[in-house]
Structures are given as structure tokens and as C-alpha cells.
Amino acid sequence: MFLLKLLVTLMSVFHSSSKNNYLHVYSPGDIMIGGLFPIHQQKNTTKDSGLISCDEFNIQTLLRTQVMIYAIQEINQRSPRLLPNLTLGYDIYDTCGDVSLAIRAALQLLKNQSDPQKCLIPSSIESPLPEPETKVVIGERSSELSIAVARIFALPSVTQISYASTSELLSKKFKFPTFLRTVSSDRYQTTAICELVKYFSWQSVAIVGSDDEYGKYGTDSLKKLFGENNICVEFVEILPGNFSENSSTAGDLIEKINASTAEAIIMFTKDRNVRIVLEGVIKKKMNRTWIGGDTWSTSPEISKIEGIESIGPVFGFIFKQNDVPGFQDYISSEFNGSTKSFLSHYQLSPKNFEDGTECNMTSSQSCLHYYIDRDESYSIYLAVQVIAEGLRSFNPLTPSNNLSPQLFNEIKKINITVNNTNIHFDMNGDPSLGYDVMFWNPSKSKGGVDIRKIGEYWPNKNILLNEDFSQWRKNEAVSVFNCYKKCKPGERLTSKHGKCCYECITCSTDEDTCVNKTEEFLEWTDPFSIILSIMAVFAIVATVFSAIIIRINRGTPIVKAIGGCLCFVEMASLLLGFSLTFTFIGKPTPNSCLGIPLFGISFSLCISCILANLIQILHGFSFDPRVCSKIKKLNHPVALVIIISGVQVAVSLAWLLVLPPSAEKVQKATKVLYQCVIYEDSSKFFAATIVYNSFWGFVCFIFAFKGRELPDIYKNASLITVSMVLFLIIWIVFLPIFLTLEGKYKPAINSAAILISCFSILACHLAPKCYIMLFRKEINNQNAISEYIRKHYERKDISVIPS
């Protein structure tokens, strides 16, 4: 009876379909503005006919269409000043919140485009699409419908301005090139939600999204933001399109929320889904903290649910609110007492509102003003102002075949201020208008909740809450916020019955999702890292300096004495060893964990060059025929280097290819340790690398020790003996430490062992020779060498003469 009476009163202005209840209103003008509004809500689909039943009427949405009509009439009344010789018309369709009806309405708005005869133009003829009658469209409300119709409006470059679609997907201009909106993107809303969680220092949250563009993109964005800020997401539930109170999904979700330890439940889905969930929560007598998106944060249908005050504190975000200038007076004066008005039903229906006022025919004001919202209505008003400013920027009455693209280009460039609201579009067609932070305060006197603004959020800024809200929290006798304790490191929140909602319990060692664990690794700013880095840089500079000196003196006897060209190979391997120091510092990555295998290659190359040099010394100064014949067989420096280093290269490459060390997280009670892990299966490669290099280091030590008495003026053998002793001692000490030490300083020990090993060779084998080349040039010649050998054997002969 209610619907029948309403439809009778609507007939004078709106036209109703004979098959469905969706509505349409039209007023001619020089420039036509289309409108898409879900005046009815889709209830169900008739199985036999397949028709949509749109019988759930929404008076708030109907009033939003009146905002569009009011704003257009206001522009027309001011047209001599704003738009000379130009009037705006409107063509508004009721989409019932259904995709198929929205697409049908979009095609009606572009009826020149949807004329079947237009599709018969041969493809060989290059002809632009005919100009549509509608130049710009305001709508749709939901992101799902806006995405569907945006593809249609993009074909003739008709501008679409949504007043409530917030999905991030609509910001992709390569998909929706003519889509704009007068509300902020969900990219900012999800950031605002994350900032609220951080403001209260909550450690864990749960997210309930939905299987649509709004819910899916919002949920993905929230998960990414919480991950970047080390906030635990305990669970994510995506509600299907057929979600209902009788579905198994609803029951499972209620149980999951009941068992959850999350400090806040984020409901990022449409209001219909939220209503179903919260009704189930009330039945279960559950108490949680809730965070709502713009779809339901001020919904009167949800805030008036019986028992809603018992669900716990509710925070919400809505678009920046403002009144449409003069609209309330327009509603009151235009429709008050008018039986011709399509809104007269709401003038005649007595209703008790939350302030206790009974609204009826004798009231001084119309009942309708109680249904006027201050967010979406204002966004619609802004959309009309934006269109008018775009039209004012050029002359739309000039004959043109591409008016729609011109208008779009003008609209996207506007930058105006309407009633202290500055609006302009970025490259994605999005404004930055900010959000109001709302809070549902349980109200015993009013029976339900009192929704109040407690703060605001502006993009790229922090949450700013009002002082009176902070004071309210302090003065609350039993504040629900006291239930959310900050747990100590190594503890997590868990559900608890009684006065408080939660208590802290000890986390298990492999659990990092319940508490903010600190990340631990050898950071670049650590004093140990700084010392190692300084030593490595100094060693690299010293090696390069040594290479330059040796290169300048390459033809002198001392360069030949340390291996000739092989000393450059030795210095290159030392440079690699010193550079590996930096792979052990910082957060481990797959590439930085290759330090030990690469060190095996570099050091085997270095030690093979030293061994070849020692054999040359023994061959040159040993006069024992038996020793000489054996050493002569080994005196092939290049072959020796290739064979010794080649074996190690093969072992290291096999290690890197089969099962290389990898970066892993090691869970601790209060922290997450990042380190390079050598798997048990690859420990044989690690052992082979260390044993192989140690073996050749010991061989070098034996050769050097035997050659320490030879008449070598440059003391090669003696100095190499010292460097090999240092190398062997370092790795004997290192191995037990490496196998037993845990923590972030384990890679520092690795780095220090490699650094000292390479330093011992640079300092004992190469540095003394560079000193001679710079400051003792008198012994860097053949005469000095011959004189030293002669004196050496003279002393030896004297020592063996019997007394």
C-alpha cells in the first residue's frame, strides 16, 4: 500500500516502467546532464521472467536526485551571469542498483550512440561517432556500477562524475579515461584506516571485505599498508555476492570473529553485508572494536538496529560533510503542503524522529529534511558546480562535432572553491577532499548510538582527533579501551571473559603474527659494521695502490721475486675478498648470502699464486740435485694456479647451483632474526671449501718454512710463513664460533675472518715489497741480490769450519 501510494504521487514527475518499478525524470536544455541513481534497491530476480524486482524504495537517494535538480535549477537561474544564452537540462534514471539496468540507462543517455542504424556504417568509411545528446553524466553511486557504465561513456568521451564510487580501480585512466569523481579514492580511505590503527597502537586487526571492486581493492590495499607498518592481519574474510544471514558463510564468519584476538575488526564492504554481520554479533552478545568504511559509517539503518549499542566501540570514515546551500529551505518551501509533489507522501506520514519531534502536516518544517544527508548530497552538488565551471571555460554553443571531449578536457582542469571546499582533479581524476572520523557513542537516553564526529584525516597527514573525544575517554567510568592492553614483547592478546575483553599470554617461539616483533640483522649503522667497512675500504685502497706501484716497477727484480704477472692475479683475488665484507652487512638477500662460496674461489686463487711463487723461490735457490729435480716438476706456475683454483671453483659453483645459502627468517620469542642459512644438505660443500683452502694454506706454510733459510734478500718465504700461520689460526678459531654462535653478529664474525685472512697476505707478502720499491730502491737490482747471496754462503761456510 505504501509503495502504491508513493508511485501514484510520483507519476506527475517521474515516469515508471510498465514492467519494473524503476523511475525516470527528464527536463530539456541546451546542454543535457545525465543522472544515474539507485532510487530503488534490487530485492530479487523473478525466476520466470528474469526481470529485476526493484521494490525497496530509498527516500535518501530520491532526495539526492533532488539535489542534482536543485543545483541545475540554481545554475539556470544564474545563467545570464554564469552561462549566458545557455540552459542546463537533466535526464535522470533509476538504476535499482543493478548492473544490467545501469547499462541500459547509460545506452538510453547515449541514444544517438545506441541507435542500431549507426552500427551499419561500413568499416572502410572513416567516420567519427555521432555526438550524443548527453554531454556529461553524474553517477553511479556504487563502484561496481560505475565501472560497468564507465566503459560505455568512454567511447564517445562523455564525462562521468561519480558522487560516491571510491574504488581504486576507477583511478586507472587507461581503463576509464573519462571518469572523474567528487569523493576521495579508497587509496586515501585505507590509509586513513591504517593511521587510526597506528594512533591507538593496536597490534592486530581482522578485515572483512566483499567480492566486488570496492571490497577487493580496499582489502588488498589494507593488507599491503598493514604489512608495511608491521601490523598483524589475523584473518581476511571476503564475502561472496550471495552473502545472506542464512548462508553458512555468515555463521562461519561470526564464529571466526568470536574466536579472534584481533583488536579491531575492519568492515570494508557494503552496508547490506555489514547489517547481516552485526545482527549476528548482537545475537552472540559479542563485544569488539569495529572500523567502518564510508558505505555504512553513518547508516541510520545499521545504527538503529536493536541492541547495536552492545557490540562495542565503532569508528568510521565518511567524506568531508557539508550542507548543500539552501537545499533544506528548498525542500521545506517547495514541497510543504503540496499535494502535487511526488514527495508529498513524506509530508503526510507522521513520524517520530530521534529528537522526539513528531513530524506531520502541521509541523513548521517538512519531514523530508530529516532524510537529507551531508556527504553524498554535497558531492552531487559539487559535481554540478564542476560541470558549470567547465562549461563556463569555453563556448559550448559553437558548432562542433566533438563537444563531449572538449567539455571533459575543461572539467578535468578546473580548480574552484565552493563554500570553502576547494576541488580540483589530479592526473587520475581524483580530488583530495579528506575524511571525517566518526564514533558511535552508546546512548541510553536515545536507545541506540549517537554518531558524532571526533576528528578528521587529510591525505598524506596524520589522524587528528578532537580534544573532547580524548577527554571523553579519560572520563568514561569503565572504558572499553582499557580492555586492550599493550602486551610486553613476547606476549599476545587473547580473548577473555570478565571485566576486560583480552589478556596477554606468552607467544610461542614460531609465532610472529600476534605481536610486533623487532627485526634483527647486522645493520649498516652498527659500530661493528662501521669498523669492518672502514677496514675493507682501507684494504681495497691499499691493494689498488700496491697494484699501481708494482705495475710501475714491473721489470725490476723484486716484482719477479714475488711471482711476476701472477702477483696481479693475487691482488685481484684479494680485492674480491675485501669486497665480500659488504655482503655480510645489512638485511640478508639471496645475492648477499653468496659471500662464503665466493670467498672460497678468491682465496684458493690467491693461495695458489703464493704456492707457485714459493716453488719458484725453492727452485731458484736450492742446490741439492735431488730436491731440484722434484721441484722442477712442480715449477709450472700457470698450470699450478689453474689446477688448484679450478678445483675450488668447481666445488663452489656446484654449491651455488645445487643448494646455495639463502636468506631466511628465524623466529625468536621477541624478535625475527634475518640471516643467511647454510642448509644441512649443503654443509658438505661448506666443509669442503674450508678444508680445501686450509690444506693448501698448510702446504704453503710447509714450503715457506723450508725456504726460510734460503738466500732470499726479500724474505718472501719468512713473511709467507707468518701470513699462513695467521690464516690457519684464524680459521681454527673461527670454525667453532661459526658453528655455535647465533644472532646478528654471526655474519660479522664471518666477515672479520675473511678480512683478516686477506689482510695477512696483503701485509706480509705485498706491502713489504712495495716499501722496498718506494724507499729501499738500492736493493731492487741484480747486483744487490748477487752480493747478498755471496755473503749468505760465506757466513754459512764459516759456520761449518771445525774449530
Side-chain angles (χ1 to χ4, degrees), residues 186 208-220 238 268-269:
D186 282 337
V208 178
S210 49
D211 190 19
D212 53 39
E213 281 73 10
Y214 174 80
K216 286 187 295 187
Y217 276 86
T219 299
D220 290 343
I238 301 298
F268 208 86
T269 181

Side-chain angles (χ1 to χ4, degrees), residues 741-760:
L741 181 66
E742 290 187 358
K744 67 178 181 179
Y745 290 112
K746 187 171 185 176
I749 298 299
N750 296 359
S751 177
I754 293 173
L755 197 60
I756 297 173
S757 299
C758 295
F759 242 124
S760 66

Side-chain angles (χ1 to χ4, degrees), residues 719-739:
L719 292 171
I720 290 174
T721 302
V722 175
S723 67
M724 290 301 104
V725 168
L726 285 173
F727 165 71
L728 292 171
I729 291 174
I730 289 166
W731 286 91
I732 289 171
V733 173
F734 162 76
L735 277 176
I737 297 176
F738 177 81
L739 295 174

Side-chain angles (χ1 to χ4, degrees), residues 353-382:
F353 290 88
E354 54 187 43
D355 61 357
T357 304
E358 183 176 332
C359 183
N360 52 46
M361 280 185 62
T362 61
S363 299
S364 59
Q365 286 190 332
S366 163
C367 296
L368 292 167
H369 75 276
Y370 285 100
Y371 291 94
I372 299 173
D373 66 83
R374 301 178 67 244
D375 44 14
E376 292 185 25
S377 292
Y378 191 68
S379 296
I380 294 167
Y381 182 76
L382 286 178

